[in-house]
Amino acid sequence: MSDPQDEAPPESAGGRFGASIQKASYLPKWLLLGTTIGVISGLAAVVFYQALKYTGAFLLGYLADYDVPTPRGEGGSHGSARFARAWAIPLVTTGGALLSALIVARFAPEATGHGTDEAIEAVHINPRAIRGRAVLVKMIASALTIGSGGSAGREGPTAQISAGFASLLTRRLNLSDDDGRVAVALGIGAGIGAIFAAPLGGAVLAGSIIYRDDFDNRTLLPGFIASGTAYAVLGAFLGFDPLFGYIDAEYRFERAWPLLWFVVIGVVAAAVGYLYARAFHAAVALVRRLPGGPVVKPTVGGLLVGLLGLAVPQILGSGYGWAQLAADRSSLLAIPLWIILLLPVAKIVATCLSIGSGGSGGLFGPGIVIGAFLGAAVWRIGELARLPGVPEQPGIFVVVGMMACFGSVARAPLAIMIMVAEMTGSFSVVPGAILAVGIASLLISRTNVTIYEAQRLNREVAVAERKRRSNE
């Protein structure tokens, strides 16, 4: 059966403008649509970034008096691992989770969770399906969750916001299903690329994030336009510096055997990424079976995150500032070794409690922080044992850990590798990165695990599913 939203009357389908878009040839059509999606994605990223900034400054900064570290691209403050009002941390995380859950339950239940799966599902099933209301609710709810200390990233909400606008365009302009799928995929890539100031990675991500083992090349050229435009818009307001500044990740390969360190990082990254995905999906399944409604469960999750944060402050919020500190030798050596070794697992637990319980926020950001401290842990162990081949600075291990851990489990290794290189200004890591990312991705590919459950295996599977649905 066809979806009612697929049968929009002509007068509500963009009028003459919509008709001209439908009849336009490839170049003018995607030049116009890509630019439009890019402008809105960039503006959405700016608005969401500011909402997060001021929400966090009020909830964690003013109410809890906690100085959260920030990455270099956002000021680069070192923050603190000590609390002036330790008693306020669980109250703030619980209150933020409660308010976020109330808004989602009342206005747009589909805005729960990390958001990227919903956007991917729209690409595969119905590119007209994302409601405009869900976009606004997602922005507010995610700002409250992350700003109050919930362990989540900002890319999922941004992806859903940008994809939601592309879905609106698909409805209003009465685009064909195929064009609508491309448009929504562009929204995902442009939104994520904009919020991380990583336009090339965003363009590649648009075609890779919707499949586990395939790539939709139809999105690549329009993706350059959309992601480039989104980056230009974001930079016009917030500047063009990489999120983590320019991390010192220089590492001159003079012999082959030090590359073995990146084999180690790749194997460990695959194991930790596998744990991340399995733990998150298990948490979601467990929460569904537990008593309590869509408000109680995220609220309890927020309370538990606050309590865990008292022991491991690095798990609170996005954690990007801590990832920045992990890339610097002096800052990393100042963090207790047990924290560095524990943090990847603690961040996984905190993300399961924040988002797996029904809170609102993304999975990309925590994955980057998990990978960063995975690389930091490998460096600290190697440096402590004075093993040969360990670089003077931990930057290259931290950056490659980011790439390998999340790139493999997101089933988008090339896109994530490019994005992290853009986020850190560290393209010199490529020789070691391709080895670590390749090994991690090959190991994960031997399983059915992916962090994004809405991904289809490949284009053939997606087409067969749509045909089956149309015949029902």
Side-chain angles (χ1 to χ4, degrees), residues 188-320:
I188 298 173
I192 295 176
I195 200 69
F196 286 125
L200 179 56
V204 177
L205 190 70
S208 54
I209 198 171
I210 56 179
Y211 300 112
R212 290 209 303 265
D213 298 325
D214 207 343
F215 183 85
D216 190 345
N217 55 11
R218 297 175 304 167
T219 68
L220 191 58
L221 296 181
F224 290 152
I225 297 169
S227 291
T229 303
Y231 175 65
V233 171
L234 178 106
F237 288 92
L238 303 178
F240 293 95
D241 288 339
L243 176 63
F244 295 106
Y246 294 91
I247 288 180
D248 181 9
E250 294 292 336
Y251 190 78
R252 185 175 178 179
F253 294 97
E254 297 177 343
R255 289 168 291 180
W257 68 264
L259 283 167
L260 291 174
W261 278 110
F262 299 97
V263 175
V264 173
I265 292 175
V267 172
V268 177
V272 174
Y274 180 88
L275 175 64
Y276 181 29
R278 290 299 299 267
F280 178 77
H281 297 315
V284 171
L286 175 63
V287 167
R288 286 173 181 161
R289 296 195 298 268
L290 292 176
V295 174
V296 172
K297 294 175 184 178
T299 304
V300 173
L303 172 61
L304 295 176
V305 167
L307 295 174
L308 178 60
L310 294 178
V312 188
Q314 291 82 359
I315 60 97
L316 294 172
S318 67
Y320 300 142

